[in-house]
Amino acid sequence: MLKAILSKLKPFLGTFQLHLDKNIEFDYFIIFKDEKNIFWEILNQIGKWNYYGKKAVRGWSSLSKEDIKQFLMKHLKCNEDTIDVINANNELFRMRF
């Protein structure tokens, strides 16, 4: 029976896409090489953040990891190797609506 169900679903399994809108936010850590790069007025433009140690913040944003990193590099005028953006919870997505 399971085999029959899977054979019916097989054409649809490769077509799944997650459609996101600006109301869905993800849980991220942003780790800065230098704690002097934490500028709240810039960070608050892309999400809601709290300190997570001296050189890191944790918070929620609707942007992707790549978009967060590009935004920060542009506005903080820093290199890619000075910022690390990771999904909280071991790279597992945690969303809220």
Side-chain angles (χ1 to χ4, degrees):
M1 183 169 153
L2 180 61
K3 197 172 191 177
I5 293 170
L6 290 176
S7 68
K8 297 273 186 194
L9 292 176
K10 189 175 181 180
F12 303 103
L13 292 177
T15 62
F16 175 77
Q17 291 183 347
L18 183 61
H19 295 284
L20 302 177
D21 62 30
K22 65 180 183 174
N23 295 322
I24 297 175
E25 296 179 327
F26 295 96
D27 189 8
Y28 292 111
F29 290 107
I30 304 175
I31 303 165
F32 297 90
K33 189 172 186 179
D34 185 355
E35 63 193 70
K36 294 176 186 169
N37 281 340
I38 300 176
F39 290 99
W40 291 107
E41 58 274 0
I42 292 173
L43 285 170
N44 288 331
Q45 292 177 32
I46 57 170
K48 300 168 197 90
W49 308 96
N50 293 307
Y51 271 113
Y52 205 80
K54 287 186 177 184
K55 296 183 179 183
V57 296
R58 183 177 185 174
W60 295 88
S61 178
S62 60
L63 298 178
S64 69
K65 288 179 2 175
E66 295 77 20
D67 289 343
I68 291 172
K69 196 165 197 172
Q70 292 300 319
F71 179 89
L72 293 175
M73 288 182 342
K74 177 181 176 184
H75 289 84
L76 296 176
K77 296 176 179 48
C78 59
N79 298 329
E80 184 175 0
D81 61 341
T82 61
I83 300 171
D84 194 17
V85 180
I86 58 172
N87 292 69
N89 303 311
N90 240 354
E91 291 294 328
L92 298 174
F93 283 110
R94 188 171 152 210
M95 306 188 310
R96 69 178 179 187
F97 301 87

